[in-house]
Amino acid sequence: MAHSVRRDAPELPDFSLLKRLARDQLIYLLEQLPGRKDLFIEADLMSPLDRIANVTTLKQHDVDKLYKVEHKPIVSTSDQMVRGCFLYPLTNWFLFPDVVNADKYYVILSVYFDISYSYFDVTTDEWSFYLLPLDDDIISLELPEFFRDYFLEGDQRWVRTAGSALHLLHSVYGPFSKVYGIGRCSKMAYESWREQVEEGEQRARQAEIGNVFLIDRDVDLVTPLCSQVVYEGLVDDIFRIKCGCVEFCPDVTSSDKSIKVMLNSQDKVFNEIRNEHFSQVFGFLSQKARNLQTAYDKRSGMNIKQMKTFVSEELKGLKQEHRLLSLHIGASESMMKKKTKQDFQELLKTEHSLLEGFEIRECISYIEEHINRQVSMVESMRLLCLLSLTENGLLPKDYRSLKAQFLQSYGIEHLLTFSNLKQLGLLVEQQPGETLTVMESRVGKLVNDKTAGKLTDAFSSLAKKSNFRALGRRLNLVPKSDEEYDLRVPRDMAYIFSGAYIPLSCKLIEQVLERDGWTGLEEVTRMLNGHEFAVTAGSNGSDARVKTDSQRIILVMFLGGCTFSEISALRFLGREKGIKFIVVTTAITNSARLLESMLDNHA
Amino acid sequence: MWASLASHLAYHVTTVINSVCVCVCVCVCVCVCVCVCVCVCVYRKIELYEMGWSLRDGLKECLVAAAPYGGPIALLRQPQRPSSSARPQLEIYSSSGANMASFPWKSGPVRQLGWTVCDDLLCIQEDGTVLIYDLFGAFKRHFSMGNEVVQNQVLEAKVFHSPYGTGVAIVTGASRFTLATNIDDLKLRRLPEVPGLQGAPSCWVVLTQDRQTKVLLANGVDLYILDNTSCTPVVRQTQTTYSLLCLIILALSPLTVCVFQTPPGLSPQACSIVNMAVSFSYKYLALFTDSGHLWMGSANLKDKLSEVDTKVRTPPKQMVWCRRPKSQQPSVVIMWDRLLLVAGECTDTIQYTLDEESVCVAELDGVRIIGGSRHELLQEVPSACQDIFKIASMAPGALLLEAHKEYEKSSQKADEYLREIKEQSVLGEAVRQCVEAAGYEHEPETQKTLLRAASFGKCFLSNYPPEPFVSMCRDLKVLNSVREYTVGIPLTHTQYKQMTVQVLIDRLVYRKLYPLAIEICRYLKTPEYQGVSRVLKHWACCKVQQKEEPDESIAHAVSVKLGEAAGISYSEIAARAYECGRTELAIKLLEFEPRSGEQVPLLLKMKRSQLALSKAIESGDTDLVYTVVTYLKNEMNRGDFFMTLRNQPVALSLYRQFCKHQEQDTLKDLFNQDDDHQELGNFYVKASYKEKKLEARLSLLQSAVDEYNKAKNEFAAKATEEEMKLLRFQRRLDEEKGEALLGLSLQETLHALLTSNFHKQAEQLYRDFRVPDKRYWWLKLTALAEKDDWEEMEKFAKSKKSPIGYLPFVEVCVKQHNKYEAKKYVSKVTPEQKVKAHLAIGDLEGAAEAAIERRSEGEISTVLSRCSPTTDRALLERLNRARSTAAKK
């Protein structure tokens, strides 16, 4: 019959290759300055660099010491000469008016001078490092500034970088057979990539990645603004995961110092709970603890020989697991303390009402109270934006009063923040006449599709708007709230938001993959401001029909960042459909990062 | 000695010396090809060309430079009688002596000539200026080796090659060395002073080791290594006392231990070093002393290979290494006026007499000797050739060659030879030897004989891979065509493999031998990118320089020829046309360029900036856009510049980003130009935060208000005005009461006032700024609770009806752990919140009462969930009962 049998998901390609490429190039560049030298790097680059080449590797290649670049005179170990390499991100591309080539990401300055500056020699090289594999299925471009630069400032300089990243992936793991995308930036990145493919040589090889989906962050701004309740997302919201690494503070580790922990699939415990709804995590952890105890208990009935094999084979693994388990239990406890309080429940309730569109008045007064009581500024702003996005803007009266109260609470400088939010369409005032859109969607059901389309066109010209409600209905994003949602056995992607909302971005991906294109989604794309595309990139279409393993590996590229919740949702979708998703993102984001990038107070 | 050597003479013998059954193959050019052997190594001298030039005095009184890899030869002939009117003559020849350029030298006196890796001629003048000419004597550019050189003059100069490119090293009259490792990326390095050096050193060489370029120099008895940072003396352990001295020095300064190096085993007789040579690969070094000793060793001075007493005490004219890669035998060719000497590992040397003035050119696998009438190659005979052509050789290759010869003669002996090879099962080896040897031979006939033999042998092998044979045939065809007299590039197979086809193509292109280059590319099936297209591009670049042809016809010719070739960069060709002053032609050619990004730099150069901007944007490369924008900014006046940007949003936003980081004031002008009052307002607000002084801050905010008003953004204007009002208020209060309030938000100010008991002022703010009641109540409530001012709180609660209800009172008190106070407010809470209030203070019974009273199922459940096993049974039952009745409803 129609549906093919669900097969086991295919193996993911090996992304450590990307790391190796970057490392080899870095070492090559460092060796351009022969002999012992120091390495000076920007503070922001510390963690990504550590993922690529750690201190031991650098030491092996004649790097004496690592310094953070500070704007003060350099004192080196050798008393006479300074020889070193400076590693700058090209984000500060204004520093290098002569070397602008943002296609490459970092600049290495090999510097060589004596303290009196009588002899000075500087050479510049570029280190093209733009893809950092954070995990088996997450690759980050580490460009947190992408969101603001592109969507707010209209600065397109990272588009080419995205294109180049895609090109690199294509040349190593491609050729891709089909590319889908939505959004203006996606389209430009796609074109930039195509250009680079045409310029370069083409090799025929076995593809490891079949299809690609490009999506702009501003297609779906609602999802990243929701509170995350999946374990990994929650850890990110509370402790902030940086480059796949989190620093657990002392009250988590129950010792007096904080510990840095790598969070990825290598961590067995974490790997099993990362995608779980938070309410399930505790049960899982305690079960795990019990299993561990039984494993330990096995010792009691052992003879010496068994004991020996136990110690040599199992004990180390158990110990490791034990350590991780206690860490995650500590983290969960700490999160529980913060999140199970009354306030959090109410916050979630408000969020869900906003998503469902019920009791908007109550929500507004909740937000008002939030602002008046000066609960966290970012939280307040997040709720305001969520309100605006789901309601197609605020009523002029509410808009003014909430804004005024916000300014009173958090300071006048947020006048600039509001202007940014408005420009991005995150927080807007309803234009008179916009209420018609609600009418229009009702009309749409009555008259035939064509006239409805015309109507929509007419209305969409009125203002940029989110159309969240209509989208929600069309794509069935908000499940009916009257049914009880069993979080233990999630039935759809909504579980990542406690069953209240299926993330729009992931739903779009699901729909497009199911339909193998955008046919049937015309109305949806119209509401999302269009710019959708689906291109068969492979040489012949008949090849694409063959469902090889690579066809079931799909690369999703988020331009402007994605959240851990979305990644969890995609993993869930992958398990359901027997496919694997690889997420490439300009950066891992969450509501706080997103909104903080909108702030404008350099005071 | 001669007799003993004779038995080793290989393959120059015309008569067949028959021993056992081996015939030694006959070589064609008997007269020119003489093989001599030293120890186990056999050397041969092959004549490459009879020189086509007609030099009146040979190479006498000439400055000569010949490039390696069979490169061109440059001669600078000094005039017979030095007078002001007579100019020296500069002549450039190919290796076969064909004239390529010849012109009188009009610049200053030249110290040294040299060739770069791209076949450009370097003329290093006395004043440190280096002039660069191409193969055909056209001036390209010049650079200087530093200002100080002008005064001190260049005493000696050397041109050297390294992985970084071609470098130049000079020593000045002040005895200082200056290096440039790559003349295409000129960075002058002035090396440290050499202690005790006056004038030029007796001899010196440039070494490239560990990616560093060093100078090794000898000043009389002393050897020094000069690198970027230091001058290290090389201590020679000639006498034991000297070593003792050394030990003392070592003991005194333990830090310097590592820097002492010595050429090991340089015998005590050796005194002053008069000449030195470094091998092609910079791995080996040879030193010649005034006692006539030759020391050979590794260039890092760690190992000694051998030492030979040449018994000639005059300093040699030239000394070069002669060794092929992978050969174990060190050997150096030393040249005096009439004598050429090959010195190897053992004490025997080979001597040749020279009948004319000659120059030696070190090659990868030998030495070329250029004389006035002849051009010869001296090299160690490769082992494959030795095996085959050695007299009485029983090597498989030799047998196979003989077998094939018999086969040609239709003799049955062929079978015998073959059987012999096959019995030892070395037929594969025989074929391999023949193929390899063919590569080392210069005469096409010999090559053919060997290859035919190989092909004959191959017939009897079932699975011999064809690649080596086929590629050797190809290589030889290419090599023979470039060795051709008219082309004059006498490459050996080893050199060809080292230099790669790409470089060979380049060299042909530099010589403008386009048809041959294209033929070779096609023959070798080089990918179009690296092959035909590249050649065509060079051809086109050359074509556009032909001044006499009209633009139209050149553009047409170029487009017709290049039409179908892939990967041609028309912009480069256009750039060349522009350089020759043919702007119109350049624009015509640019139209052929498919990639818009490539057109930008040239368009800018030609001052078509508007077009350049739109092309840059079209290319999607923001760096390019940025380049054009910076260019425009400097070129145009401000108004025009802004107008241009206005029409190009991509460029505008990029420029704005730049201004935000670098030029705030320009940003303001930009907004002004656009009448963007909203952004201007934002700009002023932002600026106000950077301002420390209050007055300046207020005036900036006032400007913001004005702009917001112009932008009809009343809300922002009002908010800004209020901010100003607040700032003034804060300042007044700061002055009066000494509170640090300035810069706080309204809410923070209120909070600060309330906690410091300035209730009156807080009231005033509350009224002035129309703070919502709810906010004010919340604020006051928390402030009072934080201070534990319960009395005031009670008063406050009773002052009027609370707009936020009384539940917050309860919660705030509980938060401060004051249940007693909390209880006071429970009664005031609205019925809907009663349950919550009771629960907050932990009064379960009260909560139960309230819930039952309200008959709300949800609330009863909440209360129940809070019950613990210790709670009163009766209460539980009541609650359960109440819930069931509530549920029935």
Side-chain angles (χ1 to χ4, degrees), chain B residues 471-533:
Chain B
S471 69
M472 182 56 80
C473 289
R474 278 213 192 105
D475 289 349
L476 283 177
K477 188 158 183 181
V478 171
L479 279 177
N480 287 337
S481 67
V482 298
R483 283 173 192 162
E484 181 76 11
Y485 186 82
T486 45
V487 180
I489 305 179
L491 276 182
T492 64
H493 188 255
T494 322
Q495 288 166 17
Y496 168 67
K497 282 289 153 195
Q498 175 76 19
M499 104 194 271
T500 70
V501 188
Q502 267 77 27
V503 179
L504 178 63
I505 301 293
D506 277 341
R507 301 246 153 137
L508 292 174
V509 163
Y510 297 142
R511 286 167 174 73
K512 298 193 182 166
L513 298 166
Y514 304 113
L516 178 62
I518 289 185
E519 272 316 304
I520 290 179
C521 289
R522 295 216 171 112
Y523 178 66
L524 293 177
K525 300 195 176 66
T526 326
E528 283 221 331
Y529 259 108
Q530 301 155 8
V532 178
S533 296

Side-chain angles (χ1 to χ4, degrees), chain B residues 205-225:
Chain B
V205 285
V206 183
L207 292 173
T208 305
Q209 280 175 345
D210 312 326
R211 298 198 195 82
Q212 247 191 316
T213 311
K214 302 171 184 172
V215 170
L216 179 69
L217 68 123
N219 185 27
V221 247
D222 303 318
L223 258 181
Y224 298 96
I225 294 175

Side-chain angles (χ1 to χ4, degrees), chain B residues 24-52:
Chain B
V24 174
C25 168
V26 183
C27 183
V28 191
C29 343
V30 185
C31 48
V32 291
C33 189
V34 181
C35 302
V36 190
C37 116
V38 179
C39 306
V40 284
C41 258
V42 185
Y43 291 85
R44 65 179 178 190
K45 209 158 97 185
I46 309 166
E47 178 172 308
L48 296 169
Y49 300 110
E50 211 160 311
M51 293 307 269

Side-chain angles (χ1 to χ4, degrees), chain A residues 94 101-102 112 119 121 123 149 153-155 157 199 372-374 403 405 408-409 411-413 419, chain B residues 187 189 211 229 529 619 622-623 653-654 657 660-661 682 689 715 719 723 745-747 769 775 778:
Chain A
F94 315 105
N101 185 357
Y112 185 68
Y119 179 77
D121 182 19
T123 50
D149 280 352
E153 315 269 8
D155 178 347
R157 79 196 135 111
E199 275 173 34
N372 283 344
R373 294 175 62 183
Q374 272 197 310
K403 227 163 88 171
Q405 297 197 38
Q408 285 187 355
S409 262
I412 176 88
E413 65 265 30
S419 131
Chain B
K187 270 183 212 121
R189 290 178 191 222
R211 298 198 195 82
T229 49
Y529 259 108
S619 78
T622 41
D623 301 336
S653 60
L654 202 67
Q657 281 283 79
K660 256 179 212 169
H661 288 88
N682 289 349
Y689 288 108
F715 179 82
E723 170 70 5
S745 74
L746 180 59
Q747 173 111 5
F769 286 90
R775 171 195 297 275
W778 265 114

